[in-house]
Amino acid sequence: MEQLNQHLSQTLKQLRNERQWSLTQAAELTGVSKAMLGQIERGESSPTVATLWKIATGFNVAFSVFLGGAAGSPPPGVQRYADLPVFSQDTADMRVVPLFPFDNLLGFDMFVIDLAPGAVSESSAHEPGVIEHVIVIEGELELMVDGVWHQLAAGEALRFQADRPHSYRNTSQHNVRLHDLIHYPPAVR
């Protein structure tokens, strides 16, 4: 986790420097407090998945940029799940692994996401035009889009415009595992 915090710190600093944004500007554009952004930059805090999404959206970058991916088009090859970076919240309610980090040419990331029993993750709206494809692999997921909760069992999927708030929750007593493929429009790339 310490290595991931260091990467988050360096990435956030780099993005702010590239844009020449103050912490105050970054806070205004991401919706994340100046204090929290400062703690992340100093490696003193591990943000939640929802907070990291807000930061990625505010900076107009793919989520996997913060997980060590998104360096361009990855070379073809086998992805070994055990070798991939993991982002896990302190509460261990949600675990995110970039199965295929952001591909600039194709404009997508693909994640494996695990939600523990009782976990809820609220996602703020992504950039206009962002589309998510959620495929449940194990368990039963509740996914809210446009104020409507959808029940998805293993083998079921939902595609939706992710440029609006949406939420994921696991109300069961078992883990939920899903794939989340996120397509970004050319403006976000």
Side-chain angles (χ1 to χ4, degrees):
M1 193 63 159
E2 188 174 321
Q3 186 177 20
L4 178 60
N5 283 346
Q6 184 179 10
H7 178 75
L8 292 173
S9 169
Q10 291 170 349
T11 302
L12 183 54
K13 285 178 197 173
Q14 178 183 345
L15 288 170
R16 269 198 331 106
N17 287 336
E18 287 172 0
R19 289 161 176 77
Q20 298 180 346
W21 290 357
S22 67
L23 274 175
T24 301
Q25 288 172 300
E28 290 170 3
L29 294 166
T30 62
V32 176
S33 74
K34 182 178 168 181
M36 175 57 79
L37 291 171
Q39 290 173 359
I40 295 168
E41 281 196 8
R42 292 187 302 274
E44 297 171 353
S45 179
S46 296
T48 64
V49 171
T51 298
L52 204 51
W53 269 117
K54 283 182 177 182
I55 295 169
T57 299
F59 278 93
N60 201 23
V61 298
F63 182 80
S64 62
V65 166
F66 291 100
L67 302 181
S73 293
V78 174
Q79 298 288 342
R80 289 184 175 76
Y81 185 77
D83 297 337
L84 298 172
V86 175
F87 182 80
S88 184
Q89 295 180 179
D90 289 339
T91 61
D93 284 347
M94 187 174 197
R95 185 174 190 264
V96 179
V97 177
L99 187 58
F100 293 101
F102 182 72
D103 183 313
N104 195 40
L105 180 64
L106 299 175
F108 80 90
D109 320 97
M110 184 171 183
F111 302 99
V112 177
I113 299 175
D114 290 297
L115 288 174
V120 175
S121 178
E122 296 178 353
S123 182
S124 57
H126 303 311
E127 289 293 315
V130 172
I131 297 171
E132 286 193 38
H133 305 79
V134 172
I135 307 104
V136 178
I137 305 304
E138 296 174 15
E140 294 184 8
L141 173 72
E142 295 182 5
L143 175 58
M144 191 267 296
V145 181
D146 289 329
V148 177
W149 285 100
H150 303 270
Q151 303 278 336
L152 301 174
E156 295 181 330
L158 181 68
R159 174 185 170 164
F160 62 95
Q161 294 294 131
D163 54 3
R164 58 205 72 189
H166 47 284
S167 300
Y168 308 84
R169 72 181 177 196
N170 177 2
T171 59
S172 78
Q173 298 299 312
H174 305 284
N175 190 58
V176 172
R177 176 168 282 180
L178 59 108
H179 286 166
D180 191 359
L181 181 112
I182 304 173
H183 262 117
Y184 300 90
V188 179
R189 299 184 220 167

